[in-house]
Amino acid sequence: MTTDVLRVARILHGTTAEGPRLRSAIWFQGCSIRCTGCINPHLFIPSGGCDVRVSDIVLGALAGEVEGLTLIGGEPFDQPSAGAKLAREAQEHGLGVIAFSGYEYEALRDRDADTREFLAGIDLLVDGPYQAWNQEKDRALVGSTNQRFIHISDRYRSYRPEIAANRVDIRVRPDGSVEVAGFLNTENLQNLAEATGTGRKARRGPAM
Ligand code: SF4
């Protein structure tokens, strides 16, 4: 059954920390994979976060004049129906879609129709669970060496994670709160958390 409501933990329009060019990052709430060492265990439970209409996410992205969406989490493919609708609407408005998943592409491809439709709306899939014992040291955006960049369309074919830099987006709100997005290794993550008092909000695994 198709739904136009997503359960999300956070949305950040206009960031350069979650993939190439300016992006809207959507953190899906809920993850059934639960990798050991995941930096975002607060996103595991599906009842956290809040409901957001797909059309409102796309409108926000268009207002932010971003190049595309980055779908992270949590696990985007734990909400395949609304995820497919989001990807399709984004595509219809000319936005690119990058999605991170702890599932491998082959497993997703063999799942239900919603999942296949979701895949069809994605330009670049970064797949595979976070493996704490296989730390990635060279490529941007991923936390472990097993994770793959799978180009479903040619839109991001020129993106080279082996030469791209990881970026961190740090925003201080008027109320003094600090919001962090992007990818940090464990040491830098800890240093940032201590410096800002933000706790473990930044990303280490594949789908945060
Ligand atoms: S790393 Fe990603 S797939 Fe693994 S538990 Fe964390 S959110 Fe889920």
Side-chain angles (χ1 to χ4, degrees):
M1 187 175 72
T2 301
T3 173
D4 64 353
V5 175
L6 272 173
R7 194 76 181 171
V8 303
R10 182 156 74 115
I11 298 173
L12 185 61
H13 294 299
T15 180
T16 57
E18 300 293 349
R21 302 177 63 183
L22 192 66
R23 316 199 65 76
S24 289
I26 296 97
W27 284 263
F28 285 52
Q29 180 69 39
C31 179
S32 58
I33 300 176
R34 307 194 174 188
C35 309
T36 300
C38 173
I39 206 69
N40 276 335
H42 59 289
L43 301 185
F44 286 178
I45 54 167
S47 57
C50 59
D51 290 338
V52 181
R53 292 176 67 87
V54 163
S55 54
D56 289 339
I57 295 173
V58 174
L59 284 174
L62 294 172
E65 299 184 344
V66 301
E67 189 277 333
L69 310 183
T70 296
L71 314 183
I72 46 183
E75 173 51 53
F77 283 89
D78 281 355
Q79 300 182 62
S81 179
K85 185 169 175 56
L86 174 62
R88 188 172 62 248
E89 282 200 19
Q91 272 191 336
E92 287 171 359
H93 286 88
L95 298 168
V97 180
I98 298 173
F100 289 77
S101 177
Y103 296 106
E104 293 182 341
Y105 171 72
E106 292 80 4
L108 293 171
R109 189 187 55 193
D110 293 339
R111 270 170 48 170
D112 54 282
D114 284 338
T115 299
R116 288 194 295 275
E117 186 182 347
F118 194 178
L119 276 178
I122 289 169
D123 297 290
L124 171 60
L125 175 73
V126 185
D127 81 339
Y130 171 64
Q131 296 180 345
W133 59 94
N134 283 326
Q135 290 283 314
E136 174 65 62
K137 294 187 173 61
D138 299 319
R139 297 176 301 161
L141 298 181
V142 289
S144 53
T145 56
N146 62 301
Q147 293 163 338
R148 302 176 298 179
F149 290 75
I150 296 176
H151 293 276
I152 296 175
S153 81
D154 289 333
R155 185 167 182 135
Y156 297 108
R157 188 73 67 176
S158 62
Y159 179 70
R160 303 270 305 280
E162 64 275 18
I163 59 173
N166 279 320
R167 297 173 187 267
V168 179
D169 187 334
I170 303 172
R171 301 182 187 198
V172 181
R173 302 292 184 194
D175 65 0
S177 63
V178 180
E179 187 173 25
V180 180
F183 186 98
L184 290 170
N185 64 27
T186 305
E187 182 182 355
N188 289 339
L189 177 67
Q190 192 61 40
N191 290 341
L192 178 65
E194 289 172 3
T196 63
T198 55
R200 306 174 79 195
K201 288 183 179 176
R203 177 157 58 92
R204 184 178 61 185
M208 306 319 118

Coordinates of all heavy atoms in Angstrom, one line a residue, residues 30-41 43-44 73-75 101-103 128-130 147 204-208, ligand 1:
G30 N 14.1 4.7 12.4 CA 13.9 3.2 12.4 C 14.9 2.5 11.6 O 15.2 2.9 10.4
C31 N 15.5 1.5 12.2 CA 16.5 0.6 11.5 C 16.4 -0.8 12.1 O 16.7 -1.0 13.2 CB 17.9 1.1 11.5 SG 19.0 0.1 10.6
S32 N 16.0 -1.8 11.2 CA 15.9 -3.1 11.7 C 17.2 -3.9 11.6 O 17.3 -5.0 12.0 CB 14.8 -3.9 10.9 OG 15.2 -3.8 9.5
I33 N 18.3 -3.3 11.0 CA 19.5 -4.0 10.8 C 20.4 -3.9 12.1 O 20.9 -5.0 12.5 CB 20.3 -3.3 9.6 CG1 19.4 -3.5 8.3 CG2 21.6 -4.0 9.4 CD1 20.0 -2.8 7.1
R34 N 20.6 -2.8 12.6 CA 21.2 -2.7 13.9 C 22.6 -3.2 13.9 O 23.0 -4.1 14.7 CB 20.3 -3.3 15.0 CG 18.9 -2.7 15.0 CD 18.1 -3.0 16.2 NE 16.8 -2.2 16.0 CZ 15.9 -2.1 16.9 NH1 16.1 -2.7 18.1 NH2 14.8 -1.4 16.7
C35 N 23.5 -2.6 13.1 CA 24.9 -3.0 13.0 C 25.6 -2.7 14.4 O 25.4 -1.7 15.0 CB 25.6 -2.2 12.0 SG 24.8 -2.1 10.4
T36 N 26.5 -3.6 14.7 CA 27.3 -3.4 15.9 C 28.2 -2.2 15.6 O 28.8 -2.1 14.6 CB 28.2 -4.6 16.1 OG1 27.3 -5.7 16.4 CG2 29.1 -4.4 17.3
G37 N 28.2 -1.2 16.5 CA 29.0 -0.1 16.4 C 28.3 1.1 15.7 O 28.9 2.1 15.5
C38 N 27.1 0.9 15.3 CA 26.3 2.0 14.7 C 26.4 3.3 15.6 O 26.1 3.2 16.8 CB 24.9 1.6 14.4 SG 23.9 3.0 13.8
I39 N 26.6 4.4 15.0 CA 26.8 5.6 15.8 C 25.4 6.3 16.1 O 25.4 7.2 16.9 CB 27.7 6.6 15.0 CG1 28.4 7.6 16.0 CG2 26.9 7.4 13.9 CD1 29.4 6.9 16.8
N40 N 24.4 5.8 15.5 CA 23.1 6.4 15.7 C 22.0 5.4 16.2 O 20.9 5.3 15.7 CB 22.6 7.0 14.4 CG 23.1 8.4 14.1 OD1 23.5 9.1 15.1 ND2 23.2 8.7 12.9
P41 N 22.3 4.8 17.4 CA 21.3 3.8 17.9 C 20.0 4.5 18.3 O 18.9 3.8 18.3 CB 22.0 3.2 19.1 CG 23.0 4.2 19.5 CD 23.5 4.9 18.2
L43 N 18.3 6.1 16.4 CA 17.4 6.0 15.2 C 16.8 4.6 15.0 O 16.1 4.3 14.0 CB 18.2 6.4 14.0 CG 18.7 7.8 14.0 CD1 19.3 8.2 12.6 CD2 17.6 8.8 14.3
F44 N 17.2 3.6 15.9 CA 16.7 2.3 15.7 C 15.2 2.1 15.8 O 14.6 1.4 14.9 CB 17.4 1.3 16.7 CG 18.9 1.0 16.4 CD1 19.6 0.2 17.3 CD2 19.5 1.5 15.3 CE1 20.9 0.0 17.1 CE2 20.9 1.3 15.1 CZ 21.6 0.5 16.0
G73 N 19.8 7.4 7.5 CA 19.0 7.0 8.6 C 19.8 6.7 9.8 O 20.9 7.2 10.0
G74 N 19.2 5.6 10.5 CA 18.0 4.8 10.1 C 18.2 4.1 8.8 O 19.2 4.1 8.2
E75 N 17.2 3.4 8.5 CA 17.3 2.5 7.2 C 16.1 3.0 6.3 O 15.0 2.7 6.5 CB 17.1 1.1 7.6 CG 17.0 0.1 6.4 CD 18.1 0.4 5.4 OE1 19.3 0.3 5.7 OE2 17.7 0.6 4.2
S101 N 21.9 2.5 2.4 CA 21.2 1.4 2.9 C 22.1 0.4 3.6 O 23.2 0.1 3.0 CB 20.3 0.7 1.9 OG 19.7 -0.5 2.4
G102 N 21.7 -0.2 4.7 CA 22.5 -1.3 5.3 C 22.2 -2.6 4.6 O 22.9 -3.6 4.9
Y103 N 21.2 -2.7 3.7 CA 21.0 -3.9 2.9 C 21.8 -3.8 1.7 O 22.1 -2.7 1.2 CB 19.5 -4.0 2.5 CG 18.5 -4.1 3.7 CD1 17.7 -3.1 4.1 CD2 18.5 -5.3 4.3 CE1 16.9 -3.2 5.2 CE2 17.6 -5.5 5.4 CZ 16.8 -4.4 5.8 OH 15.9 -4.6 6.9
G128 N 25.2 -1.8 1.9 CA 25.9 -2.7 2.8 C 25.9 -2.2 4.3 O 25.9 -1.0 4.5
P129 N 25.9 -3.1 5.2 CA 25.9 -2.8 6.6 C 27.2 -2.2 7.1 O 28.3 -2.4 6.4 CB 25.7 -4.1 7.3 CG 26.3 -5.1 6.4 CD 26.0 -4.6 5.0
Y130 N 27.2 -1.4 8.1 CA 28.4 -0.9 8.7 C 29.2 -2.0 9.4 O 28.6 -2.7 10.3 CB 28.1 0.2 9.7 CG 29.3 0.7 10.5 CD1 30.4 1.2 9.9 CD2 29.4 0.5 11.9 CE1 31.6 1.6 10.6 CE2 30.5 0.9 12.6 CZ 31.6 1.5 12.0 OH 32.7 1.8 12.7
Q147 N 31.2 -1.4 2.0 CA 30.1 -0.6 1.4 C 30.5 -0.2 0.0 O 31.6 0.2 -0.3 CB 29.8 0.6 2.3 CG 29.3 0.1 3.6 CD 29.3 1.1 4.8 OE1 30.1 2.0 4.7 NE2 28.5 0.9 5.8
R204 N 29.1 7.9 11.3 CA 30.2 7.1 11.1 C 29.8 5.9 10.1 O 30.6 5.6 9.3 CB 30.8 6.6 12.4 CG 32.0 5.7 12.2 CD 32.6 5.3 13.5 NE 31.6 4.4 14.2 CZ 31.9 3.9 15.4 NH1 32.9 4.3 16.1 NH2 31.0 3.1 16.0
G205 N 28.7 5.4 10.3 CA 28.3 4.2 9.5 C 27.7 4.7 8.2 O 27.8 5.8 7.8
P206 N 27.1 3.8 7.4 CA 26.7 4.0 6.1 C 25.3 4.8 5.9 O 25.0 5.3 4.9 CB 26.5 2.7 5.5 CG 26.2 1.8 6.6 CD 26.9 2.4 7.8
A207 N 24.5 4.7 6.9 CA 23.1 5.1 6.7 C 22.6 6.0 7.8 O 21.5 5.9 8.3 CB 22.2 3.9 6.5
M208 N 23.5 6.9 8.3 CA 23.1 7.8 9.4 C 22.6 9.1 8.9 O 23.1 9.7 8.0 CB 24.2 8.2 10.3 CG 25.1 7.1 10.9 SD 24.4 5.7 11.5 CE 25.2 4.5 10.5
Ligands
SF4_1 S1 24.8 1.7 10.3 FE1 23.0 2.2 9.2 S2 22.1 0.2 8.7 FE2 23.6 -0.2 10.3 S3 22.4 0.0 12.2 FE3 23.2 2.0 11.8 S4 21.5 3.0 10.7 FE4 21.1 0.8 10.6

